[in-house]
């Protein structure tokens, strides 16, 4: 039996509750502003000029909405399957999705590159670091686009406005904000969960007289520097406020601390910041591990280590796998396995981990009061875990100040600055590290609704919550596919793994339909219902307990009812799901899908 440090669990539970209660607020997601009207300027693309082009009025085999990882991996698998006619429609000026937009200094993936960056083996790329930085990931997106010849047919700086199923012709009609009006036999959508920036609804936000921008539209013309790490030399005489201390702020604050004359970091809830331990990848070592099939082995090992597999070794060995390693260790010590003992083991391993993370703050941050305020009082998976080796250290930099708002948030913005706890901080620039819309409806985030068979809209079909088979197919929406994690594996520590598996599945289905002359493929109502029932029979959402401090993991602390209970994955875990999906898609039966040929449709 391992000796664990003694922890006053009741005191911790009390403290966690008190800290959560301070942050509960009745307005939930409505506390944030939608970037419309005059606020729409926060959405302008600072990276690529928009070029004029003729509207498209043609026909394609597959239209894919979203040019991030989802579109790239699905496009790649379609091309590999011999489906050449693939058109990606993307609102940014290039491929990359979140990595196109998020070019803030220090942007870096928090999941090890060897499992996070898709199609490494296919494109022959070796990441340079264990956790690659944004520019390298963006370049990799472009590499995939070029390797699979996805550029020629792509429409950038283009937003889909409507998708309508034309029953007579078994085609989707796609209309965009650039006047395009074309048809597609199949549509697939990978719009990502984190692409609609939001601003906090702080009174006076529009009155600020200085400069301001959202982190996903970094204004290097104002700050100087570049995404590759050149110093932001225009900030030396500037007073800058950062609002928010989530995963984005954790990565950009160290760079701002080095550059700004004075930096105020406005905190509502501290992040848990664990060790990063990034390092270059040694090409000799890589050559040894990169034998055929290596990336699939790494992906499966990473997933197995945390989502229900039986991995003997831990190839990635990092903060993500540590969470489950500890939990598994605790479980092995149990004499009796019951839901209660397992829950207690989970809580114990979490308490231990969070105590270590809090102790790290004391060890790193010199000012005692600042250290006290930087400690996170919640369970590690209540909020997105962060990993960084320079964030806490940044608060030792002269000129960098933490302004803790004790869970209340910034009070007001004035023409001259930011007010918190009754004190005004005059600043030249406000940087909003305030995140993205996550809890809003899919169709709101997509920017369009789908009109399926019989004129039914996706927003109506999902009025009580998401319904699908595998998180990919929706009844009433033939030849349409979703590429995203929910109702599939729902593996949050490595989103691309979900996407590559969905992409592979869709490519096989499209190929099968084309090879067999099927005009339509649609999930039956029975299969969709059965999948939803299976999902509801599981243990419920992995994240987002109402006991947690509010955030986007738990819909800002508001109970979503059935809608929330449908935001889940396969009940037996991600690893089991991937195994199940592999068997399902290679059986050639595609159980639950109905394929219809032109003859059957017109007879
Ligand atoms: P988040 O939503 O995680 O953070 C927003 C921040 O703004 C929170 O600290 C929030 O506080 C704060 N905030 C909101 N309103 C106010 C207010 N009125 N006053 C003061 N503070 C306020 O957004 P991020 O952009 O940081 O991250 C979003 C997600 O993007 C991450 O969770 C992660 O999944 C992903 N990401 C991934 C990275 C990677 O490594 N691949 C890197 C960066 C981001 P509170 O916590 O109290 O709500």
């Amino acid at each position: 039996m391992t000796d664990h440090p003694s922890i006053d669990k009741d005191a911790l539970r009390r403290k966690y509750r008190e800290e959560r209660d301070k942050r509960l607020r009745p307005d939930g997601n409505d506390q944030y502003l939608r970037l419309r009207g005059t606020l729409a300027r926060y959405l302008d693309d600072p990276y690529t000029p928009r070029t004029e082009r003729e509207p498209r009025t043609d026909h394609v085999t597959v239209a894919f909405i979203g040019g991030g990882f989802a579109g790239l991996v699905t496009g790649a698998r379609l091309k590999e399957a011999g489906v050449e006619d693939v058109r990606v429609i993307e609102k940014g000026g290039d491929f990359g999705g979140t990595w196109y937009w998020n070019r803030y200094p220090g942007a870096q993936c928090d999941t090890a590159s060897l499992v996070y960056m898709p199609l490494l083996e296919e494109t022959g790329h070796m990441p340079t670091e264990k956790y690659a930085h944004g520019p390298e990931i963006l370049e990799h997106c472009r590499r995939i686009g070029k390797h699979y010849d996805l550029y020629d047919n792509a429409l950038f700086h283009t937003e889909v406005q409507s998708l309508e199923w034309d029953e007579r012709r078994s085609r989707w009609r796609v209309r965009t904000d650039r006047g395009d009006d074309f048809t597609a036999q199949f549509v697939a959508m990978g719009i990502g969960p984190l692409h609609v920036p939001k601003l906090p609804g702080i009174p006076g936000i529009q009155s600020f007289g200085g400069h301001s921008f959202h982190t996903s539209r970094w204004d290097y013309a104002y700050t100087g520097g570049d995404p590759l790490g050149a110093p932001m030399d225009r900030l030396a005489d500037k007073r800058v406020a950062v609002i928010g201390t989530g995963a984005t702020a954790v990565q950009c604050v160290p760079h701002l601390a080095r550059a700004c004359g004075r930096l105020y970091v406005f905190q509502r809830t501290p992040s848990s910041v664990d060790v990063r331990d990034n390092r270059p990848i040694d090409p000799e070592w890589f050559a040894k591990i990169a034998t055929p099939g290596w990336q699939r082995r790494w992906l499966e090992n990473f997933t197995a280590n945390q989502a229900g597999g039986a991995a003997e070794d831990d190839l990635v060995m990092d903060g993500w796998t540590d969470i489950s390693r500890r939990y598994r260790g605790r479980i092995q010590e149990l004499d009796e396995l019951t839901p209660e003992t397992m829950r207690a083991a989970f809580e114990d391993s979490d308490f231990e981990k969070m105590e270590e993370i809090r102790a790290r703050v004391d060890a790193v941050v010199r000012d005692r009061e600042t250290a006290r305020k930087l400690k996170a009082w919640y369970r590690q998976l209540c909020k997105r875990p962060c990993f960084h080796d320079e964030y806490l250290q940044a608060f030792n930099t002269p000129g960098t100040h933490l302004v803790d708002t004790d869970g209340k948030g910034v009070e007001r913005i004035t023409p001259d600055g930011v007010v918190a706890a009754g004190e005004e901080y005059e600043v030249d620039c406000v940087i909003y590290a305030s995140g993205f819309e996550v809890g809003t409806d899919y169709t709101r985030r997509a920017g369009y609704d789908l009109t399926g068979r019989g004129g039914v809209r996706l927003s109506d079909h999902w009025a009580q919550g998401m319904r699908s088979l595998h998180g990919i197919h929706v009844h009433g929406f033939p030849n349409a596919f979703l590429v995203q994690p929910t109702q599939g594996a729902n593996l949050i520590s490595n989103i691309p793994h979900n996407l590559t598996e969905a992409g592979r599945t869709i490519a096989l289905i499209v190929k099968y339909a084309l090879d067999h002359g099927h005009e339509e493929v649609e999930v039956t109502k029975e299969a969709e219902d059965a999948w939803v029932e299976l999902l509801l029979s599981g243990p419920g959402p992995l994240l987002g307990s109402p006991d947690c401090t509010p955030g986007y993991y738990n819909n800002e602390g508001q109970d979503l009812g059935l809608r929330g209970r449908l935001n889940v994955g396969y009940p037996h875990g991600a690893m089991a799901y991937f195994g199940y999906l592999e068997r399902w898609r290679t059986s050639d039966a595609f159980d639950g899908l109905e394929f219809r040929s032109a003859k059957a449709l017109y007879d």
Side-chain angles (χ1 to χ4, degrees):
M1 169 78 71
T2 318
D3 247 356
H4 297 292
S6 84
I7 289 173
D8 183 343
K9 297 181 203 171
D10 283 335
L12 273 184
R13 286 188 199 110
R14 230 177 6 255
K15 175 79 174 157
Y16 285 11
R17 243 188 334 268
E18 282 164 16
E19 290 294 330
R20 179 205 59 179
D21 290 351
K22 274 185 204 170
R23 293 167 173 81
L24 285 175
R25 43 190 291 168
D27 49 0
N29 283 312
D30 292 338
Q31 68 182 281
Y32 293 102
L33 298 176
R34 265 184 104 168
L35 302 187
R36 292 193 299 194
T38 52
L39 291 177
R41 69 190 163 84
Y42 283 96
L43 296 173
D44 290 347
D45 181 351
Y47 313 121
T48 316
R50 191 176 146 116
T51 49
E52 289 312 312
R53 63 169 175 81
E54 289 300 309
R56 300 291 171 90
T57 53
D58 52 356
H59 175 77
V60 292
T61 307
V62 183
F64 196 101
I65 299 153
F69 278 177
L72 289 165
V73 298
T74 309
R77 294 299 179 221
L78 284 162
K79 292 275 179 141
E80 282 172 351
V83 182
E84 282 301 320
D85 191 15
V86 180
R87 172 173 294 159
V88 177
I89 305 136
E90 162 58 45
K91 72 175 174 179
D94 200 342
F95 289 121
T98 198
W99 296 105
Y100 175 84
W101 295 110
N102 286 284
R103 303 189 194 193
Y104 58 83
Q108 183 183 17
C109 67
D110 265 342
T111 298
S113 346
L114 293 181
V115 293
Y116 181 79
M117 291 169 71
L119 307 175
L120 287 173
E121 201 170 343
E122 290 82 344
T123 54
H125 179 67
M126 180 198 85
T128 60
E129 301 174 281
K130 181 164 182 182
Y131 304 95
H133 279 79
E136 180 171 342
I137 305 175
L138 179 56
E139 197 44 47
H140 185 59
C141 291
R142 296 183 178 128
R143 179 178 298 113
I144 297 171
K146 286 180 203 143
H147 186 89
Y148 288 98
D149 213 3
L150 292 165
Y151 270 98
D152 281 354
N153 211 357
L155 303 179
F156 295 116
H157 280 152
T158 303
E159 291 191 52
V160 170
Q161 289 187 318
S162 83
L163 275 184
E164 270 174 67
W165 177 245
D166 179 342
E167 277 179 59
R168 212 171 38 81
R169 295 194 297 155
S170 300
R171 297 277 182 271
W172 283 96
R173 182 174 177 190
V174 186
R175 280 179 282 190
T176 76
D177 65 343
R178 304 290 294 260
D180 306 303
D181 187 351
F182 59 90
T183 55
Q185 183 175 355
F186 301 94
V187 294
M189 290 159 283
I191 61 162
L194 297 165
H195 73 105
V196 181
K198 58 182 166 53
L199 291 185
I202 303 170
I205 195 165
Q206 298 251 45
S207 71
F208 182 58
H211 196 70
S212 64
F213 55 88
H214 187 272
T215 46
S216 67
R217 304 288 189 278
W218 197 271
D219 190 350
Y220 283 103
Y222 178 84
T223 62
D226 64 29
L228 292 166
M232 292 179 280
D233 52 4
R234 294 189 190 149
L235 293 180
D237 60 347
K238 298 281 190 293
R239 299 156 303 171
V240 175
V242 171
I243 297 185
T245 50
T248 298
V250 164
Q251 294 185 335
C252 68
V253 159
H255 295 260
L256 288 166
R258 282 195 282 276
C260 297
R262 193 164 267 264
L263 175 67
Y264 298 105
V265 181
F266 289 86
Q267 171 179 275
R268 187 166 68 178
T269 309
S271 279
S272 72
V273 187
D274 200 359
V275 172
R276 172 68 307 163
D277 195 20
N278 194 19
R279 59 193 101 116
I281 290 184
D282 171 12
E284 277 181 37
W285 169 84
F286 182 74
K288 281 194 206 116
I289 65 123
T291 53
W294 75 264
Q295 196 173 24
R296 197 178 180 97
R297 286 196 298 279
W298 273 68
L299 278 167
E300 287 177 357
N301 179 270
F302 184 70
T303 303
N305 266 293
Q306 48 198 306
E312 277 170 16
D313 49 357
D314 179 353
L315 297 174
V316 168
M317 268 284 194
D318 72 355
W320 290 109
T321 58
D322 182 53
I323 297 172
S324 35
R325 193 167 42 246
R326 283 170 191 252
Y327 172 55
R328 276 202 310 274
R330 292 273 184 169
I331 293 281
Q332 278 158 11
E333 290 171 14
L334 292 176
D335 296 326
E336 196 190 357
L337 279 186
T338 67
E340 289 73 35
T341 57
M342 287 167 73
R343 254 197 304 276
F346 196 17
E347 190 187 40
D348 286 348
S349 63
D350 194 284
F351 279 150
E352 183 184 282
K353 176 87 197 178
M354 288 300 287
E355 286 287 275
E356 286 176 22
I357 289 176
R358 288 187 282 266
R360 181 171 181 245
V361 182
D362 277 331
V364 170
V365 178
R366 284 198 287 272
D367 179 68
R368 289 301 85 205
E369 191 54 12
T370 306
R372 187 180 69 75
K373 291 171 176 167
L374 282 166
K375 289 181 191 166
W377 297 101
Y378 45 79
R379 291 175 67 155
Q380 197 184 16
L381 291 179
C382 275
K383 290 219 163 219
R384 165 66 148 66
C386 296
F387 308 91
H388 213 282
D389 293 337
E390 292 175 20
Y391 175 71
L392 297 171
Q393 290 78 350
F395 294 96
N396 294 332
T397 315
T400 297
H401 307 276
L402 179 73
V403 184
D404 181 54
T405 64
D406 197 23
K408 296 184 190 66
V410 166
E411 204 172 291
R412 216 158 12 98
I413 294 197
T414 67
D416 301 320
V418 181
V419 180
E423 190 175 337
E424 181 171 13
Y425 298 81
E426 288 192 4
V427 292
D428 304 295
C429 177
V430 177
I431 301 175
Y432 293 102
S434 46
F436 303 87
E437 286 193 17
V438 178
T440 50
D441 285 345
Y442 185 86
T443 48
R444 166 167 158 175
R445 279 178 286 124
Y448 57 85
D449 209 342
L450 270 77
T451 308
R453 220 161 20 78
V456 173
R457 287 178 171 261
L458 185 64
S459 53
D460 292 329
H461 188 64
W462 284 0
Q464 307 304 316
M466 181 176 174
R467 303 185 68 78
S468 76
L469 172 71
H470 305 161
I472 297 176
H473 317 272
V474 184
H475 179 64
F477 298 83
N479 294 11
F481 310 102
L482 303 168
V483 183
Q484 53 82 50
T486 312
Q487 300 197 349
N490 216 22
L491 179 69
I492 55 129
S493 53
N494 191 17
I495 299 291
H497 195 177
N498 305 270
L499 309 179
T500 44
E501 290 300 314
R504 195 187 291 277
T505 309
I506 292 164
L508 281 172
I509 294 167
V510 168
K511 167 104 172 94
Y512 180 89
L514 294 174
D515 286 354
H516 292 79
H518 296 307
E519 289 289 308
E520 295 186 7
V521 52
E522 182 183 350
V523 58
T524 64
K525 180 174 180 327
E526 294 70 33
E528 184 181 274
D529 288 349
W531 189 253
V532 168
E533 208 173 299
L534 175 74
L535 296 170
L536 290 173
S537 72
L542 184 67
L543 301 172
S545 155
D547 297 336
C548 280
T549 184
Y552 78 80
Y553 273 13
N554 72 348
N555 195 44
E556 302 297 337
Q558 296 196 322
D559 184 8
L560 276 170
L562 177 62
R563 293 166 77 84
R565 285 191 287 124
L566 288 168
N567 284 338
V568 290
Y570 189 60
H572 309 297
M575 203 55 206
Y577 174 77
F578 291 138
Y580 155 82
L581 191 68
E582 172 70 6
R583 289 188 296 280
W584 181 86
R585 69 189 167 202
T586 49
S587 70
D588 249 17
F590 301 115
D591 240 358
L593 298 188
E594 191 174 273
F595 290 86
R596 296 187 280 263
S597 63
K599 184 170 175 330
L601 284 164
Y602 301 122
D603 271 354

